[in-house]
Amino acid sequence: MRRSRAFIPTSKEAPNDATLPSHIFLSRAGFIQQVAAGLYNYLPLAKRVIRKIENIINEEMAAIGAQEVELSFVTPAELWMESGRIEKFGKELLRFKDRKGNLFVLGPTHEEMMVNMVRNRVTSYKQLPLHLYQIKTKFRDEARPRFGLMRGREFIMKDGYSFHATYEDMSREFDAVEAAYKRVLERMGLDFRIVEADSGAIGGSGSKELMVLAQSGEDTIAVCDNCEYGANIEAAKRAARAKIPQAPEEGDFAKFLTPNVKSIDELASFFKVDPYYTVKCVAKKCIYEEGEEIVLFFIRGCDNLQEVKALNATEALDIVDVSEEELEKIGLVPGFIGPLDQDKAKHVIDEDLKDATGMICGANEKDYHFVNVDMSVLKDAAYYADIAEVNEGDICPACKKGKLSFTKGIEVGHIFKLGTTYSEAMKAEFLDENGKSKPFVMGTYGMGVSRLVAAIIEQHHDDNGCIWTKTTAPYLVNIMISNIKDEAQLAYGEELYEKLQKAGVEVILDDRKERFGYKMKDAELIGFPYTIIVGKELANGNVQIYDRSTTQKTDVDANEAFDKIMEIVS
Ligand code: ATP
Ligand code: MG
């Protein structure tokens, strides 16, 4: 490509709302153009990067025997009613009617469509397993589209779906996809972690996320410093805690006067115990389709409520704060709420409190707490769930040795052991070896293609712009003719350009009549991995190779530049 002919509208101006490097640089370097909130045009450079990502994905999918298909973007709402997801997805689903009044949905993901395509076509265990995928535009009317390609409303996803006769076979495929996704990200030159994830609204029994490590990531992940364990904080677990010092003195259960002692800090210092031995009540309002309900979450005083875990435990659509007045209205005493003798509101108790003894908790009476509480007295009556957030420094649940620390990640992929949720709801069945009808056991595997474009830049940039990895760059080599009026420079540049093109290297020739400094800034902003600078030194037989990632310039003999570049890029 000749830069003089290329449509790469670079600019000094970043969009007003852009805060992330990927959003700023992809806009300024002429990769993307925003047309409305969460809607972007992909310009030629972005298209080239997207194609590269797609090629890598296609190759790795072929290697595990997955077949590419393409499903209609506009999907009949009926299918969403069949699966029951039309309500669950809520406002993120963009719905509309055609001229005949039929209701449709722009596909935000394609489980229903894929099940619909396979049912009644695959009818025997002999035709299983089957793995189909597509790379396709998706639409989700996100409440807060932001950060450029990171969270768009329209975006590109690679979505795969596998069908199996047994859970074991699905589990085998899940592992194969995990390995394939790992290769995809490795080939793209990304630093990433595969972590345990929350399965959320999609259902299923197990899921993992692929997280590209970057400070700007929206997800917090807990990683072990000793083993491979990593988990989204929404799903992270920890090993049982060793004996914590500052335990309360042993004694009998009693009600204790604690005037004005409301917060956990006050309570812990009043009794001179570690907050670990106190029970914290986090009161919230759970929102359901049918209405709302106050729910009391009980956790150890040293812990915090994990909202996604709380959502899963209550199956609520949303969880919001509740005021003291609202609590008082139903007869609760804020500051002194405890799980014993109290039926004013629904309780969820953290699993870690199940057998705790010697605990201190509110007595549901102003200025009183109970001491020496044996939490196991609640056992049968209570509802337990894992609702506490792990803390940095907690012990790893996998190796039981290492410590957990937090890091930020960008979710670029999510793979699920889906099971039979959709096949049962949509009556997608096959005949097993004994002629018995059974629902397909399914897996589903998503990867955010357009989000990956942004994630690469979040991980690879500096103050001057993008730094593409070798396998994802829109062009690998940029030939910079410093002074286009210098005939020798022009002739050399043209010849090298031809040669590299013939050798199959993706090369762009900067043949614009602009100042060297301006063109160099432009090249840095766009982030070509290598720029060959053809300047004054050519008269002495030298050119320079500029490496964008190290920002080092190396002198090379002009006659050897081609071989040198071929060596670097191969
Ligand atoms: P998130 O938690 O970031 O909202 P999600 O869990 O809703 O994502 P999935 O349903 O698991 O997303 O979709 C599979 C993949 O599609 C995600 O891992 C992500 O890479 C990508 N993706 C999802 N939503 C968006 C979006 N709004 N813009 C760009 N990519 C997205
Ligand atoms: Mg997800």
Side-chain angles (χ1 to χ4, degrees):
M1 187 74 216
R2 286 173 185 278
R3 185 69 169 87
S4 57
R5 308 301 319 143
F7 181 51
I8 308 174
T10 53
S11 145
K12 284 204 174 103
E13 306 296 325
N16 287 336
D17 64 333
T19 51
L20 291 195
S22 64
H23 190 183
I24 294 170
F25 293 137
L26 291 172
S27 306
R28 284 191 48 210
F31 285 75
I32 57 170
Q33 181 205 10
Q34 183 173 352
V35 282
L39 304 182
Y40 290 87
N41 289 334
Y42 303 122
L43 278 50
L45 289 184
K47 255 329 253 191
R48 291 182 71 92
V49 175
I50 289 168
R51 178 104 353 115
K52 295 210 161 168
I53 298 172
E54 289 174 348
N55 288 345
I56 294 175
I57 293 175
N58 284 330
E59 283 171 21
E60 294 301 337
M61 286 300 109
I64 59 165
Q67 302 169 64
E68 192 179 14
V69 293
E70 184 165 346
L71 274 53
S72 172
F73 182 29
V74 174
T75 68
E78 271 162 41
L79 294 176
W80 292 85
M81 292 168 191
E82 245 187 274
S83 72
R85 260 213 298 191
I86 195 146
E87 274 95 29
K88 256 193 214 155
F89 242 97
K91 288 190 174 156
E92 277 191 23
L93 276 186
L94 187 64
R95 300 149 213 234
F96 55 93
K97 285 184 176 158
D98 68 3
R99 62 170 81 198
K100 290 185 182 141
N102 298 319
L103 190 62
F104 290 91
V105 164
L106 277 189
T109 172
H110 271 97
E111 279 78 11
E112 285 82 355
M113 288 283 281
M114 208 55 96
V115 169
N116 179 53
M117 185 164 81
V118 167
R119 69 176 162 186
N120 304 327
R121 288 187 179 80
V122 175
T123 52
S124 159
Y125 74 96
K126 289 179 199 150
Q127 295 162 285
L128 296 173
L130 179 67
H131 186 160
L132 303 172
Y133 78 98
Q134 63 175 345
I135 298 179
K136 181 90 177 171
T137 296
K138 298 281 179 290
F139 191 92
R140 295 181 183 178
D141 206 351
E142 297 266 355
R144 277 178 299 153
R146 60 210 150 124
F147 307 145
L149 296 188
M150 202 74 96
R151 185 170 297 283
R153 290 197 295 165
E154 191 176 298
F155 59 96
I156 305 170
M157 199 205 289
K158 174 263 159 190
D159 47 326
Y161 309 82
S162 68
F163 298 84
H164 308 267
T166 62
Y167 193 87
E168 292 69 46
D169 195 50
M170 181 269 285
S171 212
R172 175 203 50 76
E173 189 75 11
F174 181 90
D175 293 345
V177 175
E178 177 179 338
Y181 273 22
K182 191 166 170 231
R183 283 192 297 273
V184 167
L185 298 187
E186 278 167 0
R187 284 180 61 181
M188 287 174 60
L190 291 170
D191 187 10
F192 64 95
R193 228 28 217 231
I194 300 179
V195 303
E196 307 279 334
D198 164 55
S199 295
I202 200 164
S205 60
S207 81
K208 287 188 179 177
E209 284 166 340
L210 288 98
M211 294 284 184
V212 168
L213 303 183
Q215 282 164 354
S216 60
E218 285 189 276
D219 287 275
T220 300
I221 54 185
V223 293
C224 175
D225 62 11
N226 179 57
C227 74
E228 284 285 289
Y229 180 79
N232 192 313
I233 194 152
E234 298 169 350
K237 299 200 180 294
R238 57 184 159 203
R241 283 168 278 196
K243 187 107 185 108
I244 307 269
Q246 263 201 297
E249 279 169 32
E250 279 179 36
D252 292 332
F253 173 80
K255 192 160 87 177
F256 214 94
L257 181 67
T258 53
N260 269 323
V261 174
K262 287 184 170 179
S263 70
I264 290 295
D265 282 349
E266 287 164 352
L267 190 64
S269 62
F270 185 91
F271 286 104
K272 301 196 174 49
V273 298
D274 190 283
Y276 176 82
Y277 298 102
T278 67
V279 178
K280 181 178 348 185
C281 170
V282 184
K284 293 273 180 190
K285 206 156 51 183
C286 290
I287 314 289
Y288 297 94
E289 232 163 79
E290 314 82 52
E292 48 187 52
E293 181 184 16
I294 290 175
V295 177
L296 307 176
F297 296 93
F298 292 103
I299 51 181
R300 287 188 186 269
C302 57
D303 286 337
N304 289 310
L305 182 71
Q306 212 311 308
E307 292 233 354
V308 173
K309 289 183 179 179
L311 268 175
N312 290 340
T314 53
E315 292 183 12
L317 296 174
D318 199 7
I319 290 185
V320 296
D321 287 340
V322 59
S323 69
E324 292 204 349
E325 292 74 47
E326 285 172 283
L327 296 176
E328 282 160 1
K329 218 167 165 181
I330 60 166
L332 291 164
V333 194
F336 302 94
I337 304 175
L340 303 186
D341 304 331
Q342 202 265 96
D343 54 8
K344 307 270 187 324
K346 189 166 133 188
H347 299 180
V348 181
I349 301 177
D350 187 41
E351 265 170 9
D352 195 38
L353 283 172
K354 214 170 203 166
D355 299 308
T357 53
M359 299 299 291
I360 302 170
C361 69
N364 298 307
E365 192 179 328
K366 190 170 161 24
D367 292 339
Y368 283 97
H369 278 87
F370 290 131
V371 296
N372 280 308
V373 178
D374 179 353
M375 294 293 287
S376 69
V377 299
L378 286 167
K379 213 153 218 172
D380 298 329
Y383 171 54
Y384 296 94
D386 172 22
I387 51 170
E389 189 157 285
V390 299
N391 297 313
E392 275 190 291
D394 282 344
I395 302 299
C396 170
C399 70
K400 310 258 189 313
K401 267 197 234 127
K403 284 198 172 133
L404 298 180
S405 66
F406 292 169
T407 163
K408 291 284 181 188
I410 301 168
E411 182 197 320
V412 297
H414 199 166
I415 56 177
F416 289 88
K417 291 183 177 173
L418 198 52
T420 54
T421 322
Y422 292 82
S423 47
E424 270 178 51
M426 298 181 68
K427 300 208 174 45
E429 299 180 337
F430 68 96
L431 292 178
D432 74 2
E433 283 164 318
N434 306 316
K436 213 176 139 219
S437 207
K438 281 190 177 157
F440 295 114
V441 181
M442 291 178 62
T444 147
Y445 321 102
M447 192 169 246
V449 175
S450 50
R451 182 178 284 180
L452 268 165
V453 178
I456 297 165
I457 298 309
E458 287 307 320
Q459 199 173 77
H460 298 272
H461 67 268
D462 61 14
D463 290 346
N464 299 324
C466 307
I467 305 174
W468 294 98
T469 62
K470 276 195 205 179
T471 47
T472 61
Y475 292 94
L476 195 52
V477 177
N478 173 39
I479 302 173
M480 168 86 65
I481 301 173
S482 303
N483 178 7
I484 192 94
K485 288 183 199 135
D486 180 322
E487 276 173 30
Q489 285 183 24
L490 184 62
Y492 178 89
E494 291 278 357
E495 193 190 325
L496 187 59
Y497 174 59
E498 294 280 316
K499 265 174 101 175
L500 284 171
Q501 264 189 329
K502 281 216 180 87
V505 175
E506 290 173 297
V507 57
I508 189 160
L509 176 71
D510 199 338
D511 55 350
R512 291 175 300 169
K513 273 189 207 133
E514 302 282 357
R515 279 182 306 106
F516 172 73
Y518 171 84
K519 293 205 285 193
M520 215 39 214
K521 270 219 167 85
D522 216 42
E524 289 215 299
L525 177 62
I526 296 168
F528 305 113
Y530 303 102
T531 292
I532 303 170
I533 303 169
V534 185
K536 281 195 197 112
E537 274 298 298
L538 184 67
N540 302 321
N542 288 324
V543 294
Q544 283 184 314
I545 296 178
Y546 172 73
D547 180 329
R548 179 68 184 88
S549 66
T550 61
T551 69
Q552 296 221 331
K553 285 180 188 156
T554 316
D555 289 327
V556 288
D557 188 314
N559 295 320
E560 286 162 19
F562 173 78
D563 291 338
K564 187 84 196 158
I565 273 290
M566 290 308 290
E567 192 186 303
I568 294 173
V569 302
S570 55

